[in-house]
Amino acid sequence: MGRGDLTDAEWERLRPFLPVSNRRCGRWRDHRQVINGILHRVRTGVHWRDLPERFGPWKTVYERHRLWSADGTWERLLQQIQAEADAAGEIDWDVSVDSTIVRAHQHAAGARNDPPPALAPKGAGPGRTPGRDVVAEPRRPPGGGGAGGEGLGRSRGGFTSKVHLSVDGRCRPLSLVLTAGQRADCSQFELVLEKIRVPRTGPGRPRKKPDGVACDKAYSNGPCRNYLRRRGIRHTIPEKADSRAVRLRKGSRGGRLPGFDADRYRKRNTVERAINKLKHARAVATRYDKRGYIYLGTVTAAALVIWLRT
């Protein structure tokens, strides 16, 4: 076993949730070998073509990662591991939300502008029955790819992307959202919280509501606070200086002072530490993937490793 590969215990936790071949269009190459190849690339940021030979053909490793990023397999694996932790009472549901800017490498630009074809298994053609369901790519803005459609935003230094995330009290990501680098944090706040979905190991609906939420001043506005009040979620968000000045200037019409728990806000460092853990993976700290859904799959795979090893 190489450095960074899945241990036997980690593999046994993942194995029951991995896709199984239906024996009609060939067999999957060994999942453990391919996943180790994907994790090696996520950890080192190496070119796909430069993967060590012990992981098998690089094309197989890349295609597996591309397919699992498109059909949501990485996200489902993450949710299953979260479900195990929740069943054992190991999730701290006092959640923190933030975002981080990721510099895009020059190789991340140049995705095709035309909408790509649906992802289909090798050998599936007009007159052949595919061995598994054909997986369509995620919904994207009209007009195909392009920088905006792939989560690449302009800045003075070049292309950037932004990863919005929520984490539990033990620095483990609960949900991930990818946007262009110039998108405001508060614009994705509701989507980040709506993506929290931890299934139950037994009967029952998935858990989607945290006990509490802590954010920085980037989320200090009316829509974010109203959303949290509507869902009945306790929150700790500091008030901006200009908002406080406007409220005081209005007098009794300015409303009450928003509640703020300084002790709880000190624990918001969990999201900063989670971002540091994610960026230990070089393919996360610098974006090399042209397609937005593939890069989001890379970040999700890195989050999955954090859950397995925490």
Side-chain angles (χ1 to χ4, degrees):
M1 186 178 71
R3 185 174 69 88
D5 290 356
L6 293 174
T7 64
D8 292 339
E10 293 164 356
W11 167 246
E12 288 302 321
R13 293 179 65 187
L14 278 182
R15 185 172 55 82
F17 311 116
L18 295 172
V20 179
S21 174
N22 57 14
R23 303 180 183 274
R24 289 193 294 175
C25 76
R27 298 170 56 189
W28 290 96
R29 190 176 185 88
D30 180 56
H31 277 317
R32 185 170 184 177
Q33 180 188 33
V34 174
I35 291 175
N36 284 336
I38 294 172
L39 297 184
H40 177 85
R41 188 265 175 177
V42 171
R43 185 178 72 254
T44 63
V46 68
H47 285 279
W48 289 105
R49 292 176 182 269
D50 296 332
L51 281 174
E53 294 182 359
R54 65 188 179 89
F55 299 121
W58 71 268
K59 187 73 171 178
T60 300
V61 180
Y62 166 73
E63 287 296 337
R64 188 79 55 86
H65 179 56
R66 184 176 72 95
L67 176 63
W68 285 4
S69 299
D71 66 7
T73 298
W74 285 122
E75 187 174 3
R76 286 193 294 272
L77 291 175
L78 179 60
Q79 289 176 351
Q80 293 297 334
I81 298 301
Q82 291 172 348
E84 287 186 352
D86 188 42
E90 297 177 354
I91 295 183
D92 182 351
W93 283 97
D94 209 359
V95 172
S96 299
V97 177
D98 206 349
S99 69
T100 181
I101 292 287
V102 176
R103 181 67 180 273
H105 194 270
Q106 58 185 352
H107 295 167
R112 294 181 179 180
N113 291 325
D114 55 321
L119 297 177
K122 185 181 294 185
R128 306 177 68 174
T129 302
R132 52 187 287 131
D133 294 337
V134 175
V135 181
E137 294 213 14
R139 294 179 60 187
R140 296 177 295 109
E150 301 300 342
L152 290 172
R154 289 287 187 178
S155 69
R156 292 183 179 182
F159 284 120
T160 56
S161 295
K162 181 177 283 189
V163 178
H164 308 258
L165 71 162
S166 63
V167 304
D168 75 337
R170 298 183 63 187
C171 307
R172 298 176 296 187
L174 289 170
S175 61
L176 299 161
V177 174
L178 177 69
T179 65
Q182 76 274 10
R183 294 297 298 273
D185 293 358
C186 59
S187 66
Q188 305 301 311
F189 180 68
E190 293 188 21
L191 181 57
V192 169
L193 290 183
E194 292 290 343
K195 285 195 69 175
I196 296 177
R197 185 181 184 279
V198 178
R200 308 287 186 180
T201 55
R205 296 179 180 180
R207 176 159 183 177
K208 300 181 179 180
K209 181 179 176 181
D211 294 333
V213 173
C215 312
D216 59 16
K217 290 184 178 181
Y219 302 89
S220 179
N221 58 32
C224 291
R225 294 183 188 273
N226 292 336
Y227 169 78
L228 292 168
R229 293 190 188 103
R230 190 167 61 250
R231 292 191 61 188
I233 301 175
R234 295 184 296 105
H235 55 278
T236 299
I237 305 176
E239 188 180 22
K240 295 180 180 178
D242 55 349
S243 299
R244 182 169 59 253
V246 171
R247 179 176 53 80
L248 294 176
R249 188 164 59 247
K250 289 183 178 180
S252 60
R253 296 180 295 105
R256 294 180 299 175
L257 173 68
F260 180 73
D261 186 348
D263 292 334
R264 169 62 186 93
Y265 190 71
R266 292 190 187 97
K267 300 178 183 178
R268 198 190 63 84
N269 64 77
T270 54
V271 68
E272 308 291 351
R273 290 153 57 195
I275 291 171
N276 287 338
K277 288 184 177 182
L278 281 174
K279 287 191 171 182
H280 284 172
R282 295 193 174 192
V284 174
T286 302
R287 173 176 170 176
Y288 300 102
D289 300 304
K290 294 181 184 293
R291 308 307 304 269
Y293 73 91
I294 296 180
Y295 178 68
L296 184 58
T298 299
V299 181
T300 306
L304 178 64
V305 173
I306 292 175
W307 276 89
L308 289 172
R309 297 176 181 174
T310 301

